[in-house]
Amino acid sequence: MRAVRMTAPGVLEHTEVPTPQAGPGEVLLRVGAVGACHSDLHILDAPAGVFPVPMTLGHEIAGTVDTVGAGVDGWSPGDRAAVYGIIGCGRCRACLRGEENRCRVIPVGGIGLSRDGGLAEYVVVPASRLLPVGDMDLTRAAPLTDAGLTPYHAVELARPRLRPGTSCVVIGIGGLGHMGLQILLATTAVRVIAVDTNTAALELAGRLGAHHTVQAGPDAVEKIRELVGPAPDGADVVLDFVGAQPTLDTARQVVATGGQILLVGLAGGTLPVRPVADEPPPVPLETGVVVPFWGTRAELHEVIALARDGRLHADVHTFPLAEAPQAYEALRRGEVRGRAVIVP
């Protein structure tokens, strides 16, 4: 079968590999769509030894069951499913609570991370990783598994502060940010302020229902402050889907005392957190800082329910499997609005 594999750190190649076979407890899935994620770029850019090679990338997967292995119940050929990509140890306290994204044995493991992923015609996955998507377009279903799940999990972590009438600043209206914005609007009664450098992204945010849009830049903090009020008041929650130094600086300067900053993006910025009496403080007093990671299977079930009810949809731009490397280069250059989705 055709596959796009990381054959060495930083090297992504088209290859021909044998079609895998489903073992006991596993399912062979015919891939219908796979999202291209910034996390894949971090995998490609990681030093040798961090991730296995060769490995087929792709952890945002939706497809159709082709064959089932011994002992698999509840799934039959032709069933359509999304893949929950995390594979925890299944034995630690976190996994036993259903929080495999917090596994205390396997730090970062899963489909497309520590074993072959979905940038291929077929992928083998444990049957326990599948969730039904019904007749949903698979190009819309695939991004739900990360671009939908990760912001949903972040919103869940912040939900105690997302009370009716509060304010949430969403920084970065890209693959995850445009989904997070919709999740906020669908599940809360907060005022949403969208921030991005790109006018097209802000226009998308406006179409999706953001109450205010602010262009990132030297005067962004001042404009946000006009909306949320002066310190020590401010935004009750800031969701940073970029994680670069300028966005983190914006986040800490607009969050309220006692608010919460959630660092979802992986752009390498640093947030200074220290208990000092400086004015203004590096981070306001009583402010929580959380680094969310993916989400739980139960949360993915809820994300799919939102999508099937028409309250959540990915703005997708599709690429054929033959153009997967070009899709990642476009992603690296910041040319993809919404989510890039690769179709085998």
Side-chain angles (χ1 to χ4, degrees):
M1 68 174 184
R2 296 175 299 134
V4 177
R5 313 196 83 197
M6 181 173 68
T7 56
V11 181
L12 197 61
E13 293 185 331
H14 290 279
T15 61
E16 289 284 338
V17 298
T19 301
Q21 302 298 310
E26 295 180 331
V27 166
L28 178 66
L29 197 72
R30 186 170 71 251
V31 178
V34 56
C37 180
H38 271 98
S39 298
D40 296 326
L41 298 179
H42 289 278
I43 293 171
L44 283 165
D45 295 341
V50 176
F51 295 97
V53 292
M55 180 177 70
T56 304
L57 294 186
H59 56 269
E60 280 190 359
I61 309 166
T64 305
V65 174
D66 185 84
T67 58
V68 300
V72 173
D73 294 320
W75 294 100
S76 302
D79 289 344
R80 294 155 58 85
V83 177
Y84 176 71
I86 298 174
I87 301 178
C89 74
R91 301 181 303 275
C92 70
R93 290 197 300 274
C95 286
L96 292 173
R97 289 195 301 264
E99 298 172 341
E100 292 166 278
N101 58 315
R102 296 179 176 180
C103 180
R104 298 187 177 194
V105 176
I106 302 173
V108 179
I111 298 157
L113 299 175
S114 57
R115 58 183 279 170
D116 284 338
L119 281 180
E121 295 178 275
Y122 295 89
V123 62
V124 167
V125 300
S128 62
R129 305 298 96 181
L130 298 183
L131 286 88
V133 296
D135 60 357
M136 187 185 306
D137 184 340
L138 295 179
T139 62
R140 304 271 179 184
L144 299 177
T145 63
D146 183 359
L149 175 57
T150 298
Y152 188 87
H153 177 63
V155 170
E156 284 296 294
L157 293 174
R159 197 167 294 283
R161 288 180 172 87
L162 295 171
R163 311 302 298 173
T166 58
S167 296
C168 180
V169 173
V170 179
I171 303 176
I173 312 301
L176 273 67
H178 88 290
M179 300 289 272
L181 189 154
Q182 294 175 72
I183 290 163
L184 286 165
L185 294 172
T187 67
T188 75
V190 304
R191 181 176 55 152
V192 179
I193 302 165
V195 182
D196 202 290
T197 58
N198 188 284
T199 55
L202 294 176
E203 290 170 1
L204 173 62
R207 292 196 301 271
L208 292 174
H211 300 92
H212 305 278
T213 61
V214 174
Q215 187 151 23
D219 58 351
V221 169
E222 180 182 351
K223 290 182 177 179
I224 296 169
R225 277 289 176 193
E226 290 173 359
L227 298 169
V228 300
D233 201 356
D236 299 271
V237 174
V238 180
L239 293 165
D240 186 350
F241 289 104
V242 181
Q245 195 59 53
T247 62
L248 292 178
D249 287 341
T250 296
R252 68 182 181 84
Q253 291 178 74
V254 301
V255 70
T257 293
Q260 189 171 25
I261 301 172
L262 295 103
L263 311 182
V264 186
L266 302 174
T270 301
L271 186 69
V273 180
R274 57 185 185 273
V276 294
D278 296 350
E279 185 57 45
V283 173
L285 298 173
E286 294 282 318
T287 295
V289 178
V290 181
V291 182
F293 176 62
W294 226 334
T296 69
R297 278 186 287 174
E299 289 169 337
L300 179 54
H301 177 79
E302 294 167 1
V303 169
I304 293 171
L306 280 176
R308 295 189 69 176
D309 197 43
R311 301 186 187 192
L312 177 65
H313 67 277
D315 183 34
V316 302
H317 300 266
T318 59
F319 297 80
L321 185 63
E323 296 179 9
Q326 293 92 319
Y328 282 109
E329 287 307 313
L331 188 64
R332 192 184 293 277
R333 293 191 298 267
E335 296 173 357
V336 176
R337 293 294 106 197
R339 199 57 155 179
V341 174
I342 297 163
V343 181

